[in-house]
């Protein structure tokens, strides 16, 4: 007796989930903002210039 075996294939980094990138970038920028304000800038009001 021979049984058929079903296997599921999982591909990482393809297809669904691409819309999450913008959300993750927003969360990252908010965390950078909070960290800079809390640990570096404190109560300073001078502008922060980041080269890009």
């Amino acid at each position: 007796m021979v049984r058929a075996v079903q296997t599921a294939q999982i591909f990482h980094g393809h297809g669904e989930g691409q819309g999450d990138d913008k959300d993750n970038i927003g969360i990252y920028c908010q965390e950078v903002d909070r960290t800079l304000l809390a640990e570096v800038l404190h109560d300073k009001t001078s502008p922060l210039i980041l080269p890009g």
Side-chain angles (χ1 to χ4, degrees), residues 14-28:
H14 300 284
E16 292 185 38
Q18 292 178 354
D20 293 338
D21 289 344
K22 287 184 181 180
D23 294 333
N24 290 336
I25 291 170
I27 292 169
Y28 174 78

Side-chain angles (χ1 to χ4, degrees), residues 20-38:
D20 293 338
D21 289 344
K22 287 184 181 180
D23 294 333
N24 290 336
I25 291 170
I27 292 169
Y28 174 78
C29 289
Q30 289 173 350
E31 187 60 34
V32 167
D33 182 54
R34 276 188 232 123
T35 302
L36 283 173
L37 194 58

Side-chain angles (χ1 to χ4, degrees), residues 33-46:
D33 182 54
R34 276 188 232 123
T35 302
L36 283 173
L37 194 58
E39 297 182 15
V40 178
L41 299 175
H42 304 288
D43 292 329
K44 297 177 186 169
T45 58
S46 56

Side-chain angles (χ1 to χ4, degrees), residues 3-19:
R3 282 198 256 172
V5 178
Q6 293 180 351
T7 60
Q9 295 181 355
I10 299 173
F11 297 96
H12 296 281
H14 300 284
E16 292 185 38
Q18 292 178 354

